[in-house]
Amino acid sequence: MKDWQGKRYWLVGASEGLGREVAFSLSRAGAEVVVSARSEDRLKDLVAELPGKASYIAVDVADRTAVEAAAKEAGDIDGVVYLAGVYWPMKAQEWDNEKADMMGEVNFLGASRVVGSVIKDMVAKNAGHIVLVGSLSGFRGLPGAIGYCSSKAGMMSLAESMQADLRTSPIEVQLINPGFIKTRLTEKNDFNMPFIMSPEDAAKEVFEHMNTDNFKKSFPIFFSWIFRLSQFMPDWMYYRLFGAK
């Protein structure tokens, strides 16, 4: 278990769902949290409810200038957790450029902008903790998930590349890949979602991993095995099982 007392963490995408619950986990553990999202009203309410020292910075991660300004306002931090994400179900036959662009902007480029805005300071002081929240859907393309799968795969690759560069440095990189979480986003799905978790239970998994020195965690465990094993399937087998029927 890490000592969180006196640590200062910037959580991006923390106004609701998983991000909100992770903010509570860190705050209860003694860390000071700076929470960010687009909705200032939700952030104000969250800061008022958190048990420890907390503040907020409203930011749109699709705006690089705004992200860089928010990073400066956040100031000296010990770590950053990127939890922002948007999702719309989308088949290739029903491609929507606006929604696909937004998934790329928030899920992948937003993570890149946030990390890029804090990494130089971490390198300069030779300390830091970067946590990115990916998805089991990023392991391999899925039907009806244009935009989301690819954006999460990009974020997961980003984390893996950072780990390759920073693994021998004091800067810690962690990647967390959850399955289905009951949020406003998954309410858009009209199919059965196996092993769906509450935000509270998912946050426990996230915080538990943040207390380790391990790079990657995918959960729920059994469900994650399906996605990881799918990477070893030949194409004919994979698309017969997971492709459009």
Side-chain angles (χ1 to χ4, degrees):
M1 181 70 72
K2 293 177 180 175
D3 182 7
W4 299 97
Q5 291 292 329
K7 301 296 184 183
R8 195 162 184 270
Y9 272 68
W10 184 26
L11 279 66
V12 182
S15 63
E16 60 182 315
L18 178 61
R20 176 183 171 87
E21 296 306 320
V22 172
F24 272 99
S25 295
L26 281 166
S27 185
R28 284 191 292 260
E32 176 187 348
V33 296
V34 182
V35 291
S36 285
R38 286 183 298 176
S39 173
E40 186 170 358
D41 289 341
R42 286 178 183 162
L43 292 172
K44 283 182 180 178
D45 291 343
L46 173 58
V47 166
E49 293 175 39
L50 289 169
K53 187 176 181 180
S55 58
Y56 74 88
I57 304 168
V59 66
D60 181 355
V61 298
D63 183 336
R64 179 171 56 83
T65 301
V67 170
E68 292 171 350
K72 287 183 180 178
E73 187 176 344
D76 188 28
I77 57 172
D78 295 287
V80 62
V81 187
Y82 191 84
L83 304 117
V86 293
Y87 163 72
W88 290 273
M90 190 187 305
K91 295 181 180 180
Q93 300 94 319
E94 300 162 358
W95 199 298
D96 183 319
N97 259 347
E98 183 178 0
K99 291 177 179 177
D101 279 3
M102 187 56 65
M103 285 186 272
E105 285 282 359
V106 174
N107 301 348
F108 170 58
L109 289 176
S112 176
R113 292 179 185 116
V114 168
V115 172
S117 298
V118 302
I119 188 68
K120 289 182 180 178
D121 286 343
M122 290 182 177
V123 170
K125 67 182 183 180
N126 211 27
H129 186 190
I130 298 167
V131 182
L132 300 184
V133 178
S135 169
L136 294 184
S137 67
F139 280 103
R140 197 160 181 180
L142 293 167
I146 291 295
Y148 191 75
C149 282
S150 55
S151 61
K152 285 295 186 178
M155 177 204 271
M156 291 158 68
S157 181
L158 176 70
E160 290 165 354
S161 294
M162 284 195 295
Q163 174 69 353
D165 286 333
L166 299 169
R167 58 183 296 274
T168 58
S169 81
I171 300 171
E172 183 181 10
V173 179
Q174 291 187 307
L175 171 63
I176 302 169
N177 303 315
F180 294 113
I181 302 173
K182 189 172 180 58
T183 66
R184 181 171 51 87
L185 298 184
T186 53
E187 287 177 357
K188 299 175 183 179
N189 290 333
D190 59 1
F191 54 84
N192 179 50
M193 292 174 278
F195 304 100
I196 190 166
M197 303 177 74
S198 69
E200 294 84 359
D201 287 340
K204 289 177 184 176
E205 295 278 355
V206 171
F207 188 58
E208 180 182 276
H209 184 61
M210 289 176 66
N211 275 284
T212 73
D213 295 324
N214 300 325
F215 166 59
K216 185 188 297 184
K217 179 174 187 174
S218 300
F219 66 90
I221 293 295
F222 177 74
F223 197 35
S224 73
W225 290 348
I226 297 172
F227 289 86
R228 285 185 281 182
L229 288 172
S230 74
Q231 294 180 304
F232 299 97
M233 290 182 185
D235 288 344
W236 67 266
M237 180 185 295
Y238 177 78
Y239 290 112
R240 183 170 295 177
L241 290 172
F242 294 96
K245 307 303 180 190

